Amino acid sequence: MQELETLSSPADIVSETKRLLYIESYGCAMNFSDSEIIGSIMSENGFDYTQNEFEADVVFLNTCAIRDNAEQKIRDRLKHLKNNKRKNSDLIIGVLGCMAERLKTKLLEEEKLVDIVAGPDSYRDLPKLVAEVENGNKAINVLLSREETYAEISPLRLNTNGISAFVSIMRGCDNMCSFCVVPFTRGRERSRDPQTIIQEVQTLSEAGYKEITLLGQNVDSYLWFGGGPKIEYKHLTDEQKNSSVNFAQLLEMVAVVNPNMRVRFSTSHPKDITDDVLLTMKKYDNICKHIHLPAQSGSSRILDTMNRTYTREWYFDKVKRIREIMPECTISCDIIVGFCGETEEDHQETITLMQASKFIFSYMYKYSERPGTLAQKKMTDDVPEEVKSRRLSEIIDVQNKISLENNLKMVGKTVRVLADSYSKKSKEDLCGRNDQNNMVVFPKANHQIGDFVEVVIEKVSSTTLIGKSIV
Ligand code: 5AD
Ligand code: SF4
């Protein structure tokens, strides 16, 4: 903290010669949100943000480590950055985020181009790390924290459309799913002070934002009791219990800030989502009726080896409960195929789980073994690559069929869309999402990006609803 202050004080004096920072984000929404925190820290310390990598003095890649191909992408990107360094030998290149945390000093050894390696809990230290490089050294900070939530930092909204924003509510993950590297790269789960969350939401509302998404690796496990690593509610003292805030309570606090501002959240864990959360969603019209509820597999045997701590039946019960409380609520999913020991029978169970749950969309992946995880240490990555590929294309087909069936049911219905961009195909069409998170495209007419528009659906594809606005 001390060093931040010393470094930040000359910023005013050198404002004439502000340096330029370029950030590229990879992976999950959390990383994109972190980049906005990084932007804010750097701007307090004499940097302006640029969208042009070639004029930058500092380039940060905020990386993902969840699958091997995510890291491969960064290695390829670094090769390209060689050209930037050739043109500007003073250019500082930093690798930040999960890949930095996973590889630590190895990254400096393997990628000579890299000057800074910084893990997800070290971003307050970035100005100091840059100064270290300017003094001719390589710089690294990969310490994980049990407390850091960047709570009071007001994110610098990067590449924003001024309509939707992410708000980070917690960091880390304590779940230890056996396939997942995140608990090792993002550390222990900790929740952010709700007052700072509400303050940020209020600021976004005043700035005219129309939609916010609360972010965390496992939002349903959010629990504020004064800070520090997660403690189960039952283990809190009476005093901590009285002043604690859980996710259902936080959701309500956020929803009432501005009833005209949409509230979304991600990601939910089937073991943690509660009736209280579902009832709060039902109670407030501005909380979107969509839940991202990764199942990962439809086989209880595989779920057990994945250490997901629920069964196929438990997952079905959650889906049933969601639909009992909010019949209109949509559910999306993450699925991994080809996890250690997955048989054809297990794979068929994944398919039937998808069909029965009627997911609005799914993110689907081939299992990628990650060093240091329980699966890598104790299990064998024994499903051949070609079988993984075949199973993946089978579940993609299944999901496309489900999506088309879901979408066909929307024809003739009227949905409320928040227009957030032009359609990719034509500037004459606007694009946005309805409450349930369907993508909707419609002729612009006299509507603008940022408007809520009532659209009657006329035709559909498996990915998109197409319609006309009713004025
Ligand atoms: N291999 C493939 N997919 C993975 N995910 C997490 N770890 C792995 C892995 N080792 C997927 C999960 C998770 C999503 C963010 O990434 O489905 O929900
Ligand atoms: Fe990874 Fe599981 Fe945590 Fe999600 S809940 S980040 S899959 S360990």
Side-chain angles (χ1 to χ4, degrees), residues 176-179 184 305 307 372-379:
M176 300 305 263
C177 299
S178 62
F179 52 80
F184 304 97
T305 57
N307 195 27
T373 57
L374 197 75
Q376 183 261 327
K377 287 188 193 148
K378 300 265 173 307
M379 299 171 213

Side-chain angles (χ1 to χ4, degrees), residues 74-120:
I74 301 299
R75 305 256 187 201
D76 290 346
R77 186 67 181 105
L78 285 169
K79 283 197 191 96
H80 280 102
L81 282 174
K82 267 196 188 122
N83 293 329
N84 304 41
K85 201 131 181 173
R86 223 171 273 139
K87 282 183 198 140
N88 170 11
S89 60
D90 290 334
L91 176 66
I92 294 175
I93 296 177
V95 176
L96 280 42
C98 289
M99 183 179 173
E101 188 64 49
R102 194 182 82 71
L103 291 168
K104 304 186 171 58
T105 50
K106 235 168 113 187
L107 194 56
L108 288 175
E109 287 154 23
E110 290 173 1
E111 301 284 351
K112 299 285 176 244
L113 197 71
V114 175
D115 303 297
I116 295 174
V117 169

Side-chain angles (χ1 to χ4, degrees), residues 381-400:
D381 182 10
D382 54 0
V383 178
E385 187 56 29
E386 63 275 15
V387 176
K388 285 182 184 171
S389 297
R390 196 248 305 147
R391 289 182 188 166
L392 179 63
S393 72
E394 280 175 12
I395 65 165
I396 291 173
D397 282 350
V398 168
Q399 182 58 55
N400 285 342

